[in-house]
Amino acid sequence: MDEKFLKPYDAGNTEKRIYEMWEQSGLFSPDICIEKGFTDASAKPFSIVLPPPNVTGTLHMGSSLMLAIEDTVVRFQRMRGKRTLWIPGMDHAAIATQSKVEKILEKEEGKRKSDLGREAFLQKVNEFAESNRALMTTQLKALGSSLDFSREAYTLDAKRSLAVRTAFKQMYDEGLIYRGHKVINWDPKGQTTISDDEIVYEERKGKIYTFKYSSDFPIAIATTRPETKVGDTGVAVNPSDTRYQKYIGQTFEIKDFAGTPLSIKIVGDDSVDPEYGTGAVGVTPAHSMIDAEIARKHSLPTKQVINEYAKMMVETPALKDKKVAEAREIIAEWLRNAGLMEKEEEISQNISTAERTGAVIEPLPKLQWFIDVNKPIPSRDGKSLKELMHEAVEKDGIKILPDRFEKVYFHWIENLRDWCISRQIWFGHRIPVWYKDGELRCEIEAPEAEGWVQDEDTLDTWFSSGLWTFSTLGWPEQTKDLETYHPTALLETGYDILFFWVARMILMSKYLIGEIPFKTVYLHGLVRDSKGQKISKSLGNNVEPLEMIAKYGADAVRMSLLVGTGAGNDSKMSEEKLKAYKHFANKLWNMARFVFDHKAQNPANIETPKDKEYLEELKSIVSDMTTDIEAFRIHLASEKIYHYVWHKFADVIIEEYKQGLVSFATLDDILETCLKLLHPFMPFVTEEIWQSSHKNSILTATRWPM
RNA sequence: GGGCGGUUAGCUCAGUUGGUAGAGCGCUCGAUUUACACUCGAAGGGUCGUGGGUUCAAGUCCCUCACCGCCCACCA
């Protein structure tokens, strides 16, 4: 017997060596599995794309859970004989990465990005991204992830950039991408637009003011933002409201509203609730999306009064260049003095803030690029993107686990508005549109003729990640990989990016290649700390995966994340759990030691009545686990094998063997099967034990028991 | 305002299609120079949040309420 069995299992001394052995074997590539005869060339494919971690930072416990689940499924399917492919990659995460580098630049060199200029700044960002990529690759490997690194992708590399430009052009040519002057969510701190999904609502105390524009104006209105009222061009009332009906169609000229002249037209609109407030709404077309919609219906003019720095842009000296918060007070005070203020009430309101910077969102009218989600698409039977996204889950059979998220998904689609995809940041895919003399061209490659200037803006980072399932497989080129591995079998990710990412992938895939991107979506929950708190920097309760791996071993980290963590449920990470599974790895180690020890003594093999019973029982364990993993009930399968190995095999069967109630052949059989069954969950310790008794054989490339 | 999830042993949580409650940790008692102290055995501990309903049978299905948590939504 190998001497190392005389000591407790030492993960630290094992894992790196085992991973290198796996990498050298090439078995993580399905092509090599076929070449070596482990996988049948005509076997069914099974593919997963790794949700690309952001190059912003390092992997956290949530990513470790993701890797543990995916690697378990991938190893299982590989052992089942499928042509199994798991593609790694990274996401450039445009805004997140750029703002992080901006912060570093500010802190370390006291410079702003404008001091460097676009090119030099981007070089810094790329260097930062590159150094993180290397560290994250180490982390992926440390956990044992059986990823095919020969196919590694990056959202910003040449192939993926080509995919982005191709997708953009195709959507532009079919009229799905358009440029429009619309009210968008402006982040005054980040100085960029953001999409509806990047808004976070924060509950804050506010005031609602009820007032009239002037003493001879017949209708009072209410607002939480008096400063925007200098941009009002209308008042909307419900057409059936007898109090106000008579004014509909009239225009009132207000000579002096806090120093600004207003022209207010009364319009009738069904969206106004006569019961709420004064039953009338002041319409500010430039600074509210809902108002913009009312204004569009009634042809009210748009008057922008707030600029990109969240400062007033009216000529009135008292207001000009004032911050919105100051302007609010100035106007409120003016209303009080003029005797126009009817009521002021404290309320709690949800204000929209930018997810990244925390700044209060300022809705502004701007010329931006959008994806039209409602337009009927000729090449897709006249269906809209919304409809395509809907039918992917409704009809095409994408299964979302847990299934309650299907409802959430449908609800999101129903409320979806056109997606603003242009961003005023530097890091990311430049919009593939060029301008010259008032002319515009959308091309995959820059026009060769002189004088064409490319659009300054970049694309929302989710545009490129939306292409991920097929851009990683070579699209727009019609590759063999694309044909074989798309649609992918499984998309496993956190429920928090269902809208950001999962829905966008369905949109892109259904439109661009006419098929669903994946058959099953498995959404995992949040990994919290031992007290159930969200892990965050401000709480300082971050658990570093690499440290935990060093302390307890990757197998223990994986098991502690997997056991008992069902789809969609948040879970808690604790050192007790990690310790328990470290003990389990060692228990297994000693069980192997016991069996090997006895094997060396050439035990007589006398069949006993118990042999058959135990082998039958094991068969049913195998079949239960197979069903569980195929249905992605990893939390049940992992618990089942844990319990069987420790409390049946070790506590009962081995003990009975000592008493001669079980034959050695059966004991040996059970150990071998257990190693296989445990391998997807705890790849390192099982492989290490396997290699000790099976020279020239790799457990990773061994068939799952039947 | 709308939707969703949770409420099961002291703690943390499982419980897949309804068949008279499970695990880990902790606690108590005990074993043992043992493959393994990163061990083993035993014991204790739950009217499965509340109230009702369906059923031969409900933690599991339906309804009510309560508390905790999450998501969505620019009632001005």
Side-chain angles (χ1 to χ4, degrees):
Chain A
M1 191 177 55
D2 208 317
E3 290 240 338
K4 66 190 170 210
F5 280 104
L6 298 174
K7 285 183 253 162
Y9 173 61
D10 183 354
N13 253 329
T14 308
E15 292 174 354
K16 200 163 177 265
R17 171 168 45 79
I18 293 282
Y19 197 90
E20 276 167 13
M21 181 276 293
W22 284 330
E23 276 200 301
Q24 269 178 13
S25 75
L27 287 167
F28 298 161
S29 151
D31 313 320
I32 293 182
C33 281
I34 291 171
E35 218 177 277
K36 293 196 170 176
F38 171 63
T39 305
D40 203 272
S42 61
K44 274 196 192 159
F46 183 94
S47 51
I48 304 186
V49 288
L50 175 76
N54 290 353
V55 288
T56 346
T58 57
L59 298 185
H60 43 83
M61 274 299 168
S63 339
S64 303
L65 171 62
M66 164 184 96
L67 292 166
I69 294 172
E70 292 176 25
D71 193 49
T72 298
V73 173
V74 162
R75 283 177 182 273
F76 166 76
Q77 295 292 0
R78 191 184 290 118
M79 289 173 81
R80 294 276 282 165
K82 297 238 180 93
R83 269 193 289 173
T84 307
L85 174 61
W86 187 21
I87 304 182
M90 306 269 169
D91 195 316
H92 68 288
I95 291 189
T97 310
Q98 162 155 341
S99 54
K100 193 144 189 180
V101 175
E102 278 181 77
K103 262 178 215 156
I104 295 171
L105 192 67
E106 167 95 50
K107 203 175 157 195
E108 289 178 2
E109 301 177 37
K111 284 185 191 161
R112 290 170 173 235
K113 65 175 189 292
S114 49
D115 297 333
L116 299 186
R118 188 162 187 152
E119 220 166 290
F121 177 73
L122 281 180
Q123 199 184 323
K124 281 237 179 255
V125 181
N126 284 325
E127 280 165 19
F128 174 78
E130 202 47 51
S131 67
N132 282 325
R133 273 179 72 184
L135 176 62
M136 280 192 287
T137 302
T138 312
Q139 290 177 315
L140 296 176
K141 293 183 177 178
L143 216 66
S145 319
S146 57
L147 289 156
D148 181 0
F149 281 98
S150 70
R151 285 173 164 91
E152 189 174 0
Y154 177 41
T155 49
L156 219 52
D157 65 23
K159 278 189 179 166
R160 263 46 66 173
S161 298
L162 174 65
V164 164
R165 297 195 304 273
T166 306
F168 189 100
K169 181 165 170 58
Q170 192 174 324
M171 296 178 97
Y172 176 82
D173 288 347
E174 202 160 4
L176 290 175
I177 287 182
Y178 66 92
R179 196 178 190 215
H181 195 78
K182 299 181 39 163
V183 175
I184 45 75
N185 308 306
W186 181 259
D187 173 356
K189 208 165 168 184
Q191 286 292 301
T192 180
T193 56
I194 61 171
S195 68
D196 294 346
D197 297 283
E198 288 163 292
I199 292 177
V200 178
Y201 291 97
E202 247 181 62
E203 197 172 311
R204 289 192 196 169
K205 279 217 156 55
K207 242 185 191 178
I208 184 154
Y209 305 86
T210 306
F211 69 95
K212 282 184 180 168
Y213 294 107
S214 65
S215 54
D216 51 359
F217 193 82
I219 305 170
I221 58 160
T223 184
T224 53
R225 300 197 58 189
E227 76 279 13
T228 63
K229 298 288 106 180
V230 293
D232 281 14
T233 57
V235 163
V237 298
N238 193 291
S240 63
D241 192 327
T242 50
R243 294 171 294 176
Y244 307 135
Q245 262 173 354
K246 51 184 177 280
Y247 303 115
I248 293 174
Q250 292 185 35
T251 299
F252 293 80
E253 300 299 334
I254 291 129
K255 287 188 192 66
D256 175 19
F257 177 77
T260 309
L262 299 181
S263 175
I264 305 286
K265 186 180 178 188
I266 315 294
V267 297
D269 197 289
D270 289 328
S271 68
V272 179
D273 178 0
E275 306 292 317
Y276 187 83
T278 64
V281 182
V283 182
T284 322
H287 300 290
S288 154
M289 284 188 198
I290 283 187
D291 291 8
E293 180 55 23
I294 295 176
R296 191 191 57 79
K297 279 192 276 181
H298 302 283
S299 311
L300 295 173
T302 296
K303 188 172 145 199
Q304 184 175 348
V305 294
I306 295 167
N307 65 18
E308 283 87 344
Y309 303 100
K311 286 183 176 165
M312 302 304 291
M313 49 186 286
V314 287
E315 289 311 313
T316 316
L319 294 173
K320 194 171 193 288
D321 288 331
K322 288 284 187 307
K323 288 185 188 157
V324 289
E326 288 173 60
R328 184 171 308 164
E329 220 7 84
I330 291 169
I331 292 181
E333 189 57 25
W334 180 86
L335 286 167
R336 287 180 205 117
N337 292 337
L340 295 169
M341 188 76 86
E342 295 186 356
K343 226 190 315 183
E344 295 181 52
E345 297 161 276
E346 293 275 349
I347 54 155
S348 90
Q349 57 173 347
N350 278 333
I351 61 154
S352 27
T353 63
E355 186 194 31
R356 262 325 138 190
T357 62
V360 175
I361 296 296
E362 205 55 67
L364 295 177
K366 265 183 121 36
L367 187 58
Q368 296 293 322
W369 290 94
F370 297 88
I371 289 183
D372 191 329
V373 294
N374 291 305
K375 185 183 170 128
I377 309 165
S379 67
R380 292 285 173 257
D381 301 330
K383 288 174 187 152
S384 67
L385 290 174
K386 262 190 183 181
E387 287 166 326
L388 290 177
M389 280 192 274
H390 197 278
E391 74 175 17
V393 176
E394 180 74 32
K395 266 176 49 207
D396 303 340
I398 295 183
K399 183 94 205 96
I400 304 182
L401 297 175
D403 55 14
R404 65 184 136 94
F405 281 101
E406 290 186 3
K407 239 191 274 179
V408 179
Y409 172 79
F410 289 135
H411 182 254
W412 179 80
I413 293 174
E414 276 158 36
N415 293 317
L416 187 62
R417 287 188 289 229
D418 285 0
W419 173 16
C420 177
I421 50 170
S422 44
R423 297 288 178 274
Q424 291 65 54
I425 60 171
W426 288 345
F427 187 50
H429 299 279
R430 195 97 170 247
I431 290 184
V433 168
W434 284 261
Y435 308 93
K436 183 183 173 184
D437 307 329
E439 240 186 286
L440 176 161
R441 279 172 68 178
C442 174
E443 298 293 344
I444 290 172
E445 303 298 342
E448 293 199 0
E450 269 182 42
W452 287 93
V453 179
Q454 189 170 8
D455 198 299
E456 289 288 315
D457 287 356
T458 50
L459 284 165
D460 181 1
T461 195
W462 299 102
F463 188 97
S464 59
S465 21
L467 313 175
W468 198 238
T469 60
F470 48 95
S471 68
T472 51
L473 292 169
W475 188 87
E477 212 185 301
Q478 289 303 312
T479 60
K480 192 95 182 89
D481 268 7
L482 189 59
E483 193 188 304
T484 309
Y485 297 108
H486 205 275
T488 60
L490 174 70
L491 187 274
E492 193 282 336
T493 191
Y495 62 66
D496 50 330
I497 55 173
L498 177 62
F499 308 141
F500 279 124
W501 192 42
V502 180
R504 264 71 182 260
M505 281 196 282
I506 295 174
L507 181 158
M508 291 295 192
S509 184
K510 282 284 286 178
Y511 171 65
L512 290 164
I513 60 177
E515 63 183 30
I516 54 173
F518 28 69
K519 293 169 194 147
T520 303
V521 177
Y522 180 106
L523 298 170
H524 64 247
L526 255 46
V527 180
R528 297 168 177 276
D529 74 1
S530 56
K531 292 182 205 122
Q533 292 172 305
K534 219 167 169 166
I535 290 176
S536 75
K537 267 191 202 130
S538 52
L539 281 173
N541 56 356
N542 185 39
V543 188
E544 206 48 67
L546 279 181
E547 280 174 30
M548 294 302 117
I549 290 171
K551 207 163 160 191
Y552 301 102
D555 292 325
V557 172
R558 293 166 64 115
M559 278 298 271
S560 64
L561 288 163
L562 292 174
V563 177
T565 307
N569 290 343
D570 293 355
S571 60
K572 290 182 185 134
M573 178 37 81
S574 67
E575 299 225 8
E576 282 86 65
K577 257 197 205 172
L578 286 161
K579 218 157 63 182
Y581 292 109
K582 184 187 181 212
H583 293 179
F584 180 53
N586 190 56
K587 181 76 183 179
L588 188 67
W589 187 250
N590 280 296
M591 291 163 68
R593 168 182 169 178
F594 178 83
V595 174
F596 294 165
D597 221 7
H598 281 254
K599 191 178 223 159
Q601 296 164 22
N602 282 317
N605 197 38
I606 303 143
E607 261 191 57
T608 80
K610 290 238 173 181
D611 287 343
K612 207 179 154 205
E613 181 194 329
Y614 288 144
L615 291 172
E616 282 301 313
E617 184 193 28
L618 184 59
K619 257 194 182 163
S620 86
I621 297 276
V622 170
S623 115
D624 282 359
M625 282 183 66
T626 307
T627 316
D628 280 341
I629 305 176
E630 272 176 344
F632 307 110
R633 293 190 293 259
I634 319 290
H635 63 302
L636 295 186
S638 53
E639 193 177 353
K640 209 163 274 171
I641 188 61
Y642 169 83
H643 197 259
Y644 177 81
V645 166
W646 199 317
H647 301 297
K648 185 71 191 228
F649 186 37
D651 292 352
V652 177
I653 300 176
I654 291 185
E655 292 308 315
E656 288 186 358
Y657 165 79
K658 289 181 190 168
Q659 296 161 36
L661 297 171
V662 178
S663 75
F664 182 78
T666 298
L667 196 72
D668 203 26
D669 260 21
I670 297 179
L671 176 68
E672 191 162 314
T673 303
C674 285
L675 289 174
K676 291 177 184 173
L677 293 178
L678 266 174
H679 183 66
F681 307 95
M682 308 180 78
F684 288 110
V685 66
T686 50
E687 184 74 76
E688 176 74 349
I689 294 171
W690 186 267
Q691 303 257 309
S692 300
S693 59
H694 299 73
K695 304 290 175 217
N696 307 319
S697 160
I698 297 178
L699 183 55
T700 294
T702 305
R703 278 304 160 86
W704 183 257
M706 297 280 281

